[in-house]
Amino acid sequence: MEPALANPDPISSPKPATKRSLLSSLMEATAVSTTATAVLHRSSSFDEDSYLISTLKPSELKALDELKQLLSSAAKPISMWGVPVAPPPCASEDGEEAAGRTDVVLLKFLRARDFDAGQAHAMLLRCAEWRAEFGADGVAEEELVGFKELEGVVAYMHGWDRRGHPVCYNAYGVFKDKAVYERVLGDADKLQRFLRWRVQVMERGVRLLQLRPAGVNAIIQVTDLKDMPKRELRAASKHILSLFQDNYPEMVARKVFINVPWYFSLLYSVISPFLTERTKSKFVIAREGNVTEMLYKFIRPEFVPVQYGGLSHPGDLQNGPPKPATEFIIKGGEKVDLEIDGIEGGATIAWDIAVGGWDLDYGAVYVPSDDGSYTIVVEKTRRIPASADEPIHHVFTAKEDGKMVLSLDNTGSRRRKVAAYRYFVRKHAN
């Protein structure tokens, strides 16, 4: 059963829909999402650093050896995220895998200090001291009281990007409510408890990494700036940035900022002095209205949360990998019909559709194969507003063979939009 994009009845639409293959739609989606982002200091084609020894420059290999020499005389054993770093494992004695994982961790500290072995050594020792004092190794299992309302809202891990990096979402708009702010961040003690909870989220994210030379060794951070109170969160932001930069070097492959308001440049000028050049090189920003397009560039729609134009609800990923979605572009002034052919009588079909920025008309009809049967209006055409933050989900049971036609009419807008859909068909049991 192969879906297709088909022409509608030219009488029913002021402008004919375009028939396009799903492959061409996917290629188009890639092209448009590239133009949807603005990048600070580096293009969106940023390549993540390699942790394979064979790719290192001679000067980098020398720095790695120097750091290992410094750590070989450590007063006591040191481990980071379950990886022994002092004394460094020997490949011939402890195995190549153990040595390779240690190299990954050491390279993170070296890159954070521009391959200055002495500075990387000092940073690693300070980090080890902080982890011991903070109890970072056990914080992931702690039951922290008073943060239930923040789970899945303020900071949470959800899905993976197209390269397999775990994705951490951050959204601080909830603190616009003064009551919430006072309850969570109202004084110094509350701020420290919040920082502990935020470290817990980070530690759980790090546990999803492989920390192997050819593995996934960093997460993606998506930060939603919508409704974020500027002044109130200044102290908390400084603490979090300092804490993470000092103790989680090179753990973030890319930082994506979405719903960026006009005052972002002012906020950025405040936090910029606390960031290294390497950190700033990974920043990507998306203006308000371009959120879905930008996220689809890095993350497949079935992993993007519904509030950002994706198909993923909280808890969906606990039931195993989601069904992949098909991405396509709806051009400005265009109507697109998605045809799902080969549906047998008695079968039940369910579908999900999401469109970034919506503000278009949507409808669904079932067209029986028998020319003598009538077309069934499954969902009457209606306007989907730009404010819609849930994908369309519908289920229909066919009484006879035919096809489902899902229509998305963007003829009233000049703006092109990225979209995604998927469907499930369950045949009637005889």
Short mmCIF file of all heavy atoms in Angstrom, two decimals, residues 10 52 61-62 111 131 133 138 149 178 212 252 266 274 289 291 308 320 329 358 365 416-417 429:
data_model
loop_
_atom_site.label_atom_id
_atom_site.label_comp_id
_atom_site.label_asym_id
_atom_site.label_seq_id
_atom_site.Cartn_x
_atom_site.Cartn_y
_atom_site.Cartn_z
N PRO A 10 -9.99 19.84 -10.05
CA PRO A 10 -9.65 21.24 -10.27
C PRO A 10 -10.80 22.18 -9.98
O PRO A 10 -10.60 23.36 -9.73
CB PRO A 10 -9.25 21.29 -11.75
CG PRO A 10 -9.87 20.07 -12.36
CD PRO A 10 -9.89 19.05 -11.29
N LEU A 52 38.33 9.06 17.33
CA LEU A 52 39.19 7.99 16.84
C LEU A 52 40.63 8.48 16.88
O LEU A 52 40.96 9.54 16.35
CB LEU A 52 38.80 7.60 15.42
CG LEU A 52 37.40 6.98 15.26
CD1 LEU A 52 37.05 6.84 13.78
CD2 LEU A 52 37.35 5.62 15.94
N LEU A 61 47.81 14.14 19.65
CA LEU A 61 48.27 12.87 20.23
C LEU A 61 49.30 13.12 21.33
O LEU A 61 49.29 12.46 22.37
CB LEU A 61 48.88 12.00 19.13
CG LEU A 61 47.91 11.29 18.19
CD1 LEU A 61 48.66 10.65 17.03
CD2 LEU A 61 47.12 10.22 18.95
N LYS A 62 50.18 14.08 21.08
CA LYS A 62 51.20 14.43 22.08
C LYS A 62 50.53 14.94 23.35
O LYS A 62 50.92 14.55 24.47
CB LYS A 62 52.14 15.48 21.51
CG LYS A 62 53.25 15.88 22.48
CD LYS A 62 54.14 16.96 21.87
CE LYS A 62 55.21 17.40 22.87
NZ LYS A 62 56.07 18.48 22.33
N ARG A 111 39.99 19.03 24.71
CA ARG A 111 39.35 19.96 23.74
C ARG A 111 38.78 21.18 24.45
O ARG A 111 38.75 22.27 23.89
CB ARG A 111 38.28 19.21 22.97
CG ARG A 111 38.87 18.26 21.93
CD ARG A 111 37.83 17.64 21.03
NE ARG A 111 38.49 16.96 19.92
CZ ARG A 111 38.33 15.67 19.61
NH1 ARG A 111 37.50 14.92 20.32
NH2 ARG A 111 38.97 15.14 18.58
N ARG A 131 32.64 16.43 41.71
CA ARG A 131 31.75 15.26 41.64
C ARG A 131 31.70 14.53 42.97
O ARG A 131 30.64 14.04 43.38
CB ARG A 131 32.20 14.31 40.52
CG ARG A 131 32.00 14.89 39.12
CD ARG A 131 32.32 13.87 38.04
NE ARG A 131 31.38 12.74 38.07
CZ ARG A 131 30.18 12.76 37.52
NH1 ARG A 131 29.75 13.85 36.91
NH2 ARG A 131 29.40 11.69 37.58
N GLU A 133 32.27 15.89 46.01
CA GLU A 133 31.57 16.73 46.98
C GLU A 133 30.08 16.79 46.70
O GLU A 133 29.26 16.77 47.62
CB GLU A 133 32.16 18.14 46.95
CG GLU A 133 33.59 18.23 47.46
CD GLU A 133 34.15 19.63 47.33
OE1 GLU A 133 33.46 20.50 46.74
OE2 GLU A 133 35.28 19.87 47.82
N GLY A 138 25.80 9.46 42.17
CA GLY A 138 24.55 8.84 42.63
C GLY A 138 23.32 9.70 42.46
O GLY A 138 22.20 9.27 42.76
N GLU A 149 6.40 18.85 39.12
CA GLU A 149 5.76 19.75 38.17
C GLU A 149 6.72 20.22 37.07
O GLU A 149 6.30 20.70 36.02
CB GLU A 149 5.20 20.99 38.88
CG GLU A 149 6.25 21.87 39.51
CD GLU A 149 5.66 23.09 40.20
OE1 GLU A 149 4.79 23.74 39.61
OE2 GLU A 149 6.08 23.37 41.34
N LYS A 178 5.02 34.01 38.68
CA LYS A 178 5.77 34.40 39.86
C LYS A 178 5.65 33.40 40.99
O LYS A 178 6.60 33.18 41.76
CB LYS A 178 5.32 35.79 40.33
CG LYS A 178 5.71 36.91 39.38
CD LYS A 178 5.34 38.27 39.95
CE LYS A 178 5.77 39.40 39.02
NZ LYS A 178 5.41 40.73 39.54
N ARG A 212 32.52 5.85 23.62
CA ARG A 212 33.44 4.97 22.89
C ARG A 212 33.95 5.72 21.67
O ARG A 212 33.25 6.58 21.13
CB ARG A 212 32.74 3.68 22.47
CG ARG A 212 32.43 2.75 23.64
CD ARG A 212 31.81 1.43 23.16
NE ARG A 212 31.73 0.48 24.26
CZ ARG A 212 30.75 0.43 25.15
NH1 ARG A 212 29.76 1.32 25.06
NH2 ARG A 212 30.74 -0.46 26.11
N VAL A 252 28.00 18.32 24.93
CA VAL A 252 26.90 18.80 24.09
C VAL A 252 27.42 19.00 22.67
O VAL A 252 28.33 19.80 22.44
CB VAL A 252 26.33 20.13 24.63
CG1 VAL A 252 25.21 20.63 23.73
CG2 VAL A 252 25.80 19.93 26.05
N LEU A 266 20.45 40.61 23.59
CA LEU A 266 20.84 41.19 24.88
C LEU A 266 21.18 40.09 25.88
O LEU A 266 22.18 40.19 26.61
CB LEU A 266 19.70 42.05 25.42
CG LEU A 266 19.30 43.27 24.57
CD1 LEU A 266 18.10 43.99 25.21
CD2 LEU A 266 20.48 44.22 24.43
N PHE A 274 30.64 33.84 29.77
CA PHE A 274 30.77 32.60 30.54
C PHE A 274 30.96 31.38 29.65
O PHE A 274 31.05 30.25 30.14
CB PHE A 274 29.53 32.41 31.43
CG PHE A 274 29.33 33.51 32.43
CD1 PHE A 274 28.54 34.61 32.12
CD2 PHE A 274 29.96 33.48 33.66
CE1 PHE A 274 28.35 35.64 33.02
CE2 PHE A 274 29.79 34.51 34.58
CZ PHE A 274 28.98 35.59 34.25
N GLY A 289 8.41 31.06 14.77
CA GLY A 289 7.76 30.75 13.50
C GLY A 289 8.55 29.76 12.65
O GLY A 289 8.01 29.19 11.70
N VAL A 291 10.39 27.18 14.15
CA VAL A 291 10.80 26.13 15.09
C VAL A 291 10.73 24.74 14.46
O VAL A 291 11.69 23.97 14.49
CB VAL A 291 9.94 26.19 16.36
CG1 VAL A 291 10.22 24.98 17.25
CG2 VAL A 291 10.21 27.47 17.12
N TYR A 308 6.15 21.25 19.49
CA TYR A 308 7.07 21.88 18.54
C TYR A 308 6.81 21.45 17.11
O TYR A 308 7.67 21.59 16.24
CB TYR A 308 8.52 21.58 18.94
CG TYR A 308 8.87 22.12 20.31
CD1 TYR A 308 9.49 21.31 21.26
CD2 TYR A 308 8.59 23.44 20.65
CE1 TYR A 308 9.81 21.80 22.51
CE2 TYR A 308 8.90 23.93 21.91
CZ TYR A 308 9.51 23.11 22.84
OH TYR A 308 9.82 23.60 24.09
N GLY A 320 8.71 1.53 23.01
CA GLY A 320 9.54 1.07 21.92
C GLY A 320 9.66 2.12 20.83
O GLY A 320 9.06 3.20 20.91
N ILE A 329 7.08 18.98 2.03
CA ILE A 329 6.92 20.43 2.06
C ILE A 329 5.62 20.81 1.36
O ILE A 329 5.29 20.27 0.30
CB ILE A 329 8.11 21.11 1.36
CG1 ILE A 329 9.38 20.97 2.20
CG2 ILE A 329 7.82 22.59 1.09
CD1 ILE A 329 9.31 21.68 3.53
N TRP A 358 1.01 25.50 10.80
CA TRP A 358 -0.35 25.23 10.33
C TRP A 358 -0.91 26.40 9.51
O TRP A 358 -0.39 26.68 8.44
CB TRP A 358 -1.28 24.87 11.49
CG TRP A 358 -0.99 23.53 12.10
CD1 TRP A 358 -0.24 23.29 13.19
CD2 TRP A 358 -1.46 22.24 11.63
NE1 TRP A 358 -0.19 21.93 13.47
CE2 TRP A 358 -0.94 21.26 12.53
CE3 TRP A 358 -2.26 21.80 10.57
CZ2 TRP A 358 -1.18 19.89 12.39
CZ3 TRP A 358 -2.51 20.44 10.46
CH2 TRP A 358 -1.97 19.50 11.34
N VAL A 365 -11.21 12.53 3.00
CA VAL A 365 -12.31 11.80 2.37
C VAL A 365 -11.86 10.38 2.05
O VAL A 365 -10.66 10.13 1.83
CB VAL A 365 -12.81 12.50 1.09
CG1 VAL A 365 -13.35 13.88 1.40
CG2 VAL A 365 -11.72 12.56 0.03
N ARG A 416 5.73 28.66 2.66
CA ARG A 416 5.87 27.20 2.58
C ARG A 416 6.05 26.64 3.99
O ARG A 416 6.61 27.30 4.88
CB ARG A 416 7.03 26.82 1.68
CG ARG A 416 8.38 27.38 2.07
CD ARG A 416 9.42 27.02 1.03
NE ARG A 416 10.72 27.55 1.36
CZ ARG A 416 11.79 27.40 0.61
NH1 ARG A 416 11.69 26.72 -0.54
NH2 ARG A 416 12.95 27.90 0.97
N LYS A 417 5.62 25.39 4.16
CA LYS A 417 5.60 24.80 5.50
C LYS A 417 6.09 23.36 5.45
O LYS A 417 5.78 22.62 4.53
CB LYS A 417 4.17 24.85 6.06
CG LYS A 417 3.68 26.28 6.28
CD LYS A 417 2.19 26.40 6.28
CE LYS A 417 1.78 27.87 6.36
NZ LYS A 417 0.33 28.06 6.21
N ALA A 429 -10.03 -8.95 10.64
CA ALA A 429 -9.79 -10.36 10.93
C ALA A 429 -10.96 -11.20 10.45
O ALA A 429 -12.11 -10.95 10.81
CB ALA A 429 -9.60 -10.56 12.44
#
